[in-house]
Amino acid sequence: MTERPTDLSSLSSHRQTRGSLLSARKLALMASVVAGLGIATYGFAPSRGPVDIFSSPAHAQVNNEVSKVAQPIGFADIVERVKPSVISVKVNISQKVAKDDGDSDDLPFQPGSPMERFFRRFGGPDGLPPGLRGGKGRVITGQGSGFFISADGFAVTNNHVVDGASKVEVTADDGKIYSAKVIGTDQRTDLALIKVEGGSNFPFAKLSDGKPRIGDWVLAVGNPFGLGGTVTAGIVSAMGRDIGNGPYDDFIQIDAPVNKGNSGGPAFNTAGDVVGVNTAIYSPSGGSVGIAFSIPASTVKNVVAQLKDKGSVSRGWIGVQIQPVTPDIADSLGLKKAEGALVAEPQANGPAAKAGIESGDVITSVNGEAVKDARELARTIGGFPPGTAVKLNVLHKGQDKAVNLTLGQLPNTLEAKADNDNDDNGGGATRGTDVPKLGLTVAPANSVAGAGKEGVVVTEVDPKSAAAERGFKEGDVILEVAGKTVASANDVSDAIKSARGDNKNSVLMRVKSGGQSRFVAVPLAKG
């Protein structure tokens, strides 16, 4: 069937005829419907000029209803007040770099070092410094964030932002560029203090006196991807996070978007005070996934005060390797709660060793304040200056005792204590003897070359055993079982039988692995 073309002239005539047949009732009904939709304007209005559609009764009613609803919280007033205190930090790092041939020895930093973490955040697409490939003596640049803490130009940023910098420049919120110098850095907390030169009336931020609560609003201000002056909002997601950065980990977790270049920037609360310094993110992709970590303001205050005073941070030290008290360890020691810090090994001639603290002791309080876990002990002791006299409460062989000691100074560099007892007695490796229901095969340490003279060395581990689940591996040396020194498989078996007789669900072993000592609680098989 062929469509007929439309005759526009006949259509016009038809419309006129049709319009004359409309009754007044129909016209009134149509006008009422259209007006109800809030669009009765042209054609149906009696006046010649257009009607203001935003003054219709329907819209006015909606507008009145909306005005009664609570409006979303805005941050513009806070941002106007705090944003001028935030700076962008640009650094130059001069490096003599060999051509990258895939050998990590050619890189200008060691894997896992602060410099390596720096370039993972600020480097090129592959995480390497810009200009690294194919050149020597290139100047590497990086960008981060920071904020003024005083009118005379002192500012806070991250250690990894300025570590190794030969030149530091900052860009203020008004766009002005200033040179800066590094006053001091603290690798353990990843904080740095810089002094911006060329001004004496900089807008500065205040470090918060209180702790934020989970759920509080936070604003992150910084220099993501070098854009400068960017504000994002979120909430405090968690407190006291340990991200494996070191014994002083005590991070605030926030979900405000934080990206590369935000490092060193502040996280503000709704009062405009700095509650944390943004330092790290968790991100499989490299971009923000809503998990960022900030150094608490209380830590920043302590560290910055020392950096300003003497350019470095001094921490108290008792000289022990410590580890958490897990529920299994608590059970094996007869503790009611899994609290305190377990001494894996006191350092020879350290304050703790001189005061009589031994491996297997649990430090439960410092100056009467209970110690929750090993990290809390490290932070508490590190918060005291060297030379401070402290009182420790210790659980020693099931008995409580008080120990008084004077803190030493935490060494600037801590090296793992290597096992240098490599006497080769010519015995070679032996298969060893099975320890029933433990999943281990052990041999006297003095019968295995390089294992030392104390304890028993693990020669085999059943991959399906509880010992394997607890991280035992070939070459580990078991020094003690249930508080008793062992020199043979029989000693291990006897100690386990004794623990079973005491109705223990697990047995505590002191193990030396890679030059470090630790305690491991191994569940006891029934029967």
Side-chain angles (χ1 to χ4, degrees):
M1 180 177 180
T2 305
E3 290 186 354
R4 297 179 60 186
T6 302
D7 186 341
L8 297 180
S9 62
S10 63
L11 179 62
S12 175
S13 173
H14 174 72
R15 282 176 175 172
Q16 291 176 357
T17 304
R18 178 71 173 168
S20 64
L21 296 177
L22 285 172
S23 65
R25 178 174 177 274
K26 290 182 178 179
L27 184 59
L29 177 61
M30 183 180 295
S32 133
V33 170
V34 176
L37 295 176
I39 57 173
T41 54
Y42 306 104
F44 297 104
S47 62
R48 293 174 181 261
V51 176
D52 184 358
I53 64 173
F54 298 111
S55 64
S56 65
H59 184 274
Q61 182 180 5
V62 171
N63 191 51
N64 289 337
E65 292 299 323
V66 170
S67 66
K68 298 176 183 178
V69 179
Q71 298 299 306
I73 297 174
F75 302 109
D77 291 341
I78 303 170
V79 172
E80 282 184 6
R81 188 155 50 92
V82 302
K83 190 167 173 282
S85 67
V86 183
I87 57 177
S88 298
V89 181
K90 180 180 178 180
V91 301
N92 289 349
I93 302 173
S94 300
Q95 293 286 340
K96 293 182 179 180
V97 183
K99 184 175 181 180
D100 180 24
D101 57 5
D103 184 353
S104 62
D105 291 338
D106 290 338
L107 300 179
F109 45 79
Q110 293 298 317
S113 68
M115 289 292 290
E116 193 267 350
R117 294 196 298 271
F118 177 92
F119 289 117
R120 291 299 173 194
R121 288 183 172 99
F122 304 125
D126 55 0
L128 295 174
L132 174 62
R133 296 182 182 277
K136 295 183 178 181
R138 300 292 182 92
V139 174
I140 303 163
T141 63
Q143 292 183 333
S145 305
F147 59 98
F148 288 113
I149 57 170
S150 65
D152 56 353
F154 282 100
V156 172
T157 185
N158 279 146
N159 170 67
H160 75 255
V161 171
V162 298
D163 186 28
S166 56
K167 181 181 179 182
V168 181
E169 284 185 347
V170 304
T171 302
D173 188 58
D174 60 6
K176 292 182 180 179
I177 298 175
Y178 302 89
S179 62
K181 62 180 180 180
V182 178
I183 301 300
T185 62
D186 181 46
Q187 181 178 336
R188 286 183 169 89
T189 56
D190 197 19
L191 288 170
L193 181 68
I194 61 176
K195 178 70 164 60
V196 179
E197 301 168 337
S200 59
N201 192 28
F202 293 108
F204 63 93
K206 176 181 178 293
L207 291 165
S208 175
D209 294 323
K211 290 183 178 181
R213 297 183 304 164
I214 296 173
D216 280 351
W217 281 108
V218 286
L219 301 177
V221 188
N223 182 31
F225 303 111
L227 296 172
T230 299
V231 182
T232 56
I235 63 170
V236 174
S237 303
M239 298 290 292
R241 285 298 198 210
D242 178 0
I243 63 174
N245 193 53
Y248 303 102
D249 280 12
D250 185 27
F251 292 102
I252 302 169
Q253 181 183 327
I254 64 175
D255 72 349
V258 170
N259 290 287
K260 294 181 180 180
N262 270 110
S263 287
F268 291 100
N269 61 18
T270 52
D273 296 336
V274 176
V275 294
V277 175
N278 301 321
T279 189
I281 62 173
Y282 171 76
S283 174
S285 65
S288 172
V289 295
I291 301 178
F293 302 99
S294 298
I295 305 163
S298 57
T299 300
V300 179
K301 283 183 179 181
N302 183 17
V303 170
V304 166
Q306 293 193 58
L307 293 178
K308 187 175 181 181
D309 183 47
K310 54 189 177 183
S312 61
V313 177
S314 297
R315 293 183 171 88
W317 174 70
I318 59 175
V320 290
Q321 292 179 22
I322 54 176
Q323 65 182 85
V325 177
T326 65
D328 285 343
I329 289 176
D331 175 75
S332 64
L333 291 174
L335 294 173
K336 294 181 180 179
K337 294 182 179 180
E339 295 181 352
L342 177 62
V343 176
E345 185 175 354
Q347 184 168 330
N349 299 318
K354 291 178 179 178
I357 292 177
E358 301 176 0
S359 296
D361 288 352
V362 178
I363 300 174
T364 58
S365 70
V366 178
N367 292 339
E369 295 292 329
V371 171
K372 181 180 178 182
D373 53 32
R375 285 194 302 128
E376 185 173 277
L377 176 64
R379 292 196 302 269
T380 301
I381 296 298
F384 292 117
T388 303
V390 297
K391 176 184 177 182
L392 307 179
N393 282 92
V394 177
L395 181 68
H396 175 75
K397 298 186 183 301
Q399 301 295 320
D400 290 317
K401 73 172 187 177
V403 176
N404 296 298
L405 55 80
T406 300
L407 301 181
Q409 179 170 329
L410 181 68
N412 288 328
T413 58
L414 295 178
E415 299 178 357
K417 192 174 72 172
D419 181 10
N420 294 320
D421 188 1
N422 292 321
D423 296 337
D424 189 350
N425 55 22
T430 63
R431 182 186 178 279
T433 305
D434 291 333
V435 179
K437 299 183 180 181
L438 198 60
L440 292 176
T441 300
V442 299
N446 58 17
S447 70
V448 179
K453 299 177 181 178
E454 298 180 346
V456 295
V457 64
V458 176
T459 57
E460 283 187 44
V461 182
D462 181 350
K464 297 180 180 180
S465 67
E469 292 178 358
R470 294 302 190 275
F472 277 90
K473 60 184 182 299
E474 293 181 16
D476 286 351
V477 178
I478 300 174
L479 300 172
E480 296 178 7
V481 178
K484 301 174 182 177
T485 58
V486 293
S488 66
N490 287 336
D491 290 344
V492 176
S493 297
D494 290 344
I496 291 173
K497 289 178 183 178
S498 177
R500 280 203 184 99
D502 293 336
N503 294 319
K504 295 291 180 63
N505 295 317
S506 57
V507 63
L508 195 64
M509 299 184 180
R510 186 161 72 95
V511 182
K512 183 169 67 174
S513 179
Q516 297 286 322
S517 293
R518 74 184 194 281
F519 281 93
V520 181
V522 181
L524 295 175
K526 301 299 180 182

